[in-house]
């Protein structure tokens, strides 16, 4: 009887623990990108903190899909580009007339430079040279396509100036390797697997993106920045530092996330900063101060509490 009672209480404790667990889904990107491993490792850190949250990741089309899915309550959390978050919050570009005022960043993450990778024999030495070439501009729903559209507009060009393809990040490198396209774009953290692989296995080049028109975009919009890819990051085919134009990755939620949930997530990451930085080379140089820059929309109040407690905010 005593054993039965003990077994019963263990069972009811387990049931209670489960009942008190909140399950949250994080939208990421393609499996060959940086969002997916970073989202997965963030989930692990939060889950291991044992604070009643159970985070899982989903591979998705990327930023624009993620932000729309948070708005539709299909996702609770996501990785997303700072330009997409800013324009969603302010109802601009793809979000024109349809602002998402409830989007709330939790953590500012790594730099996401736009990578323009071309076959060496395509003769593309700068952005404008893509005119007339077969170029993958990014898949629908990706942040890649979103940022490429802004860059094309800044250069006075449009999608019609290229023979456009809209490939997923897992497909584009294979198309390039097979000579079915000349170039592809990918906004991704420095050292992303997809870029490393293609640069190692085909005669490809990483095209510098330091045009004055991009400098003007950075002047106008705080969520853009230049980033330098250190020489040889992508092996022998990238012998020199390359300056790229790009954005920043953010970990976002919305006002649907409670103050406590957002607080617990950010606190778990802050408490495990070393482990977090070790997840991916793109995060290696990140500081806690970087968590608070380039957010594109107001910080979630729960995140604010965690940063204040850590002495990072007044
Ligand atoms: N920035 C890309 C996008 O929003 C995804 C990059 C990644 O998966 O690391 O489409």
């Amino acid at each position: 009887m005593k054993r039965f009672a003990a077994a019963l209480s263990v069972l009811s404790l387990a049931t209670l623990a489960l009942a008190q667990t909140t399950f949250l889904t994080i939208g990421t990107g393609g499996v060959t990108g940086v969002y997916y491993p970073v989202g997965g490792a963030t989930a692990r850190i939060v889950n291991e903190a044992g604070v009643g949250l159970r985070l899982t990741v989903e591979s998705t089309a990327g930023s624009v899909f993620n932000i729309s899915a948070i708005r539709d309550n299909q996702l609770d959390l996501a990785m997303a580009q700072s330009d997409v978050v800013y324009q969603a919050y302010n109802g601009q570009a793809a979000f024109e007339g349809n602002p998402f005022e409830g989007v709330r960043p939790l953590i500012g993450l790594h730099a996401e430079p736009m990578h323009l990778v071309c076959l060496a024999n395509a003769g593309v030495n700068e952005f404008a040279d893509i005119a007339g070439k077969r170029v993958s501009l990014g898949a629908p729903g990706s942040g890649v396509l979103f940022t490429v559209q802004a860059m094309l507009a800044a250069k006075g060009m449009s999608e019609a100036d290229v023979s456009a393809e809209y490939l997923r990040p897992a497909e584009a490198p294979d198309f390039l390797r097979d000579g079915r396209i000349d170039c592809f774009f990918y906004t991704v953290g420095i050292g992303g697997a997809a870029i490393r692989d293609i640069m190692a296995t085909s005669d490809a080049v990483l095209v510098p993106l330091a045009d004055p028109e991009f400098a003007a975009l950075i002047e106008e919009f705080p969520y853009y920045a230049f980033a330098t890819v250190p020489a040889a990051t992508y092996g022998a085919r990238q012998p020199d530092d390359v300056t790229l134009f790009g954005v920043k990755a953010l970990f976002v939620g919305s006002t649907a996330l409670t103050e406590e949930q957002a607080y617990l997530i950010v606190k778990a990451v802050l408490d495990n900063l070393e482990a977090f930085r070790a997840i991916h080379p793109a995060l290696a140089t990140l500081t806690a101060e970087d968590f608070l820059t380039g957010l594109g929309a107001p910080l979630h109040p729960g995140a604010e509490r965690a940063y204040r407690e850590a002495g990072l905010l007044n």
Side-chain angles (χ1 to χ4, degrees):
M1 182 64 194
K2 216 163 154 191
R3 200 182 307 151
F4 177 70
L8 198 68
S9 69
V10 167
L11 194 71
S12 48
L13 271 180
T15 317
L16 198 69
L18 199 65
Q20 288 173 345
T21 302
T22 303
F23 293 85
L24 300 172
T25 308
I26 310 172
T28 58
V31 293
T32 58
V34 175
Y35 285 6
Y36 187 72
V38 168
T42 308
R44 204 162 52 244
I45 285 172
V46 175
N47 295 347
E48 284 171 4
V51 290
L53 297 178
R54 185 100 212 136
L55 272 46
T56 51
V57 286
E58 253 178 40
S59 170
T60 72
S63 295
V64 173
F65 172 90
N66 290 348
I67 294 299
S68 307
I70 291 183
R71 189 203 320 240
D72 297 343
N73 292 316
Q74 305 292 319
L75 289 172
D76 306 293
L77 296 159
M79 309 278 300
Q81 295 179 189
S82 50
D83 54 344
V84 175
V85 171
Y86 177 93
Q87 295 186 337
Y89 180 74
N90 290 291
Q92 297 170 356
F95 302 91
E96 182 82 55
N98 192 19
F100 178 20
E101 284 157 6
V103 66
R104 290 289 178 275
L106 273 64
I107 308 174
L109 295 173
H110 53 282
E112 280 200 281
M114 177 60 79
H115 291 68
L116 170 58
V117 180
C118 298
L119 289 174
N121 65 14
V124 176
N125 300 311
E126 57 169 308
F127 187 94
D129 294 339
I130 62 172
K133 307 279 186 223
R134 298 161 305 161
V135 185
S136 175
L137 305 178
S142 69
V144 185
L145 179 56
F146 192 87
T147 308
V148 168
Q149 285 165 337
M151 294 173 79
L152 281 167
K155 293 293 288 183
M157 297 169 70
S158 80
E159 288 169 58
D161 290 324
V162 301
S163 171
E165 299 274 354
Y166 300 90
L167 304 170
R168 290 183 296 113
E171 306 172 309
D174 290 335
F175 272 62
L176 192 81
R177 192 178 292 110
D178 296 348
R180 293 161 73 186
I181 52 174
D182 299 305
C183 303
F184 71 86
F185 284 98
Y186 194 13
T187 338
V188 71
I190 295 172
I195 310 287
R196 260 191 290 120
D197 291 353
I198 189 70
M199 293 290 290
T201 58
S202 74
D203 198 10
V205 292
L206 182 64
V207 179
L209 299 171
D211 308 31
E213 292 87 347
F214 303 147
L217 273 184
I218 294 170
E219 278 284 298
E220 191 174 350
F221 301 106
Y223 46 82
Y224 291 128
F226 284 124
T228 301
V229 180
T233 299
Y234 298 115
R237 291 193 178 90
Q238 187 235 323
D240 303 313
D241 286 4
V242 180
T243 300
L244 302 180
F245 167 83
V247 293
K248 179 175 163 123
L250 306 174
F251 190 76
V252 304
S254 72
T255 48
L257 203 65
T258 68
E259 206 254 7
E260 185 69 7
Q261 288 163 353
Y263 166 77
L264 291 170
I265 292 166
V266 175
K267 179 171 165 40
V269 172
L270 286 173
D271 288 349
N272 294 280
L273 203 52
E274 282 313 308
F276 187 72
R277 264 199 287 259
I279 293 168
H280 193 280
L283 302 183
T285 57
L286 216 60
T287 66
E289 285 72 25
D290 293 330
F291 285 6
L292 286 158
T293 63
L295 297 179
L299 196 59
H300 194 288
E304 213 174 292
R305 166 149 70 106
Y307 291 123
R308 207 170 307 114
E309 239 181 56
L312 293 161
L313 267 183
N314 293 319

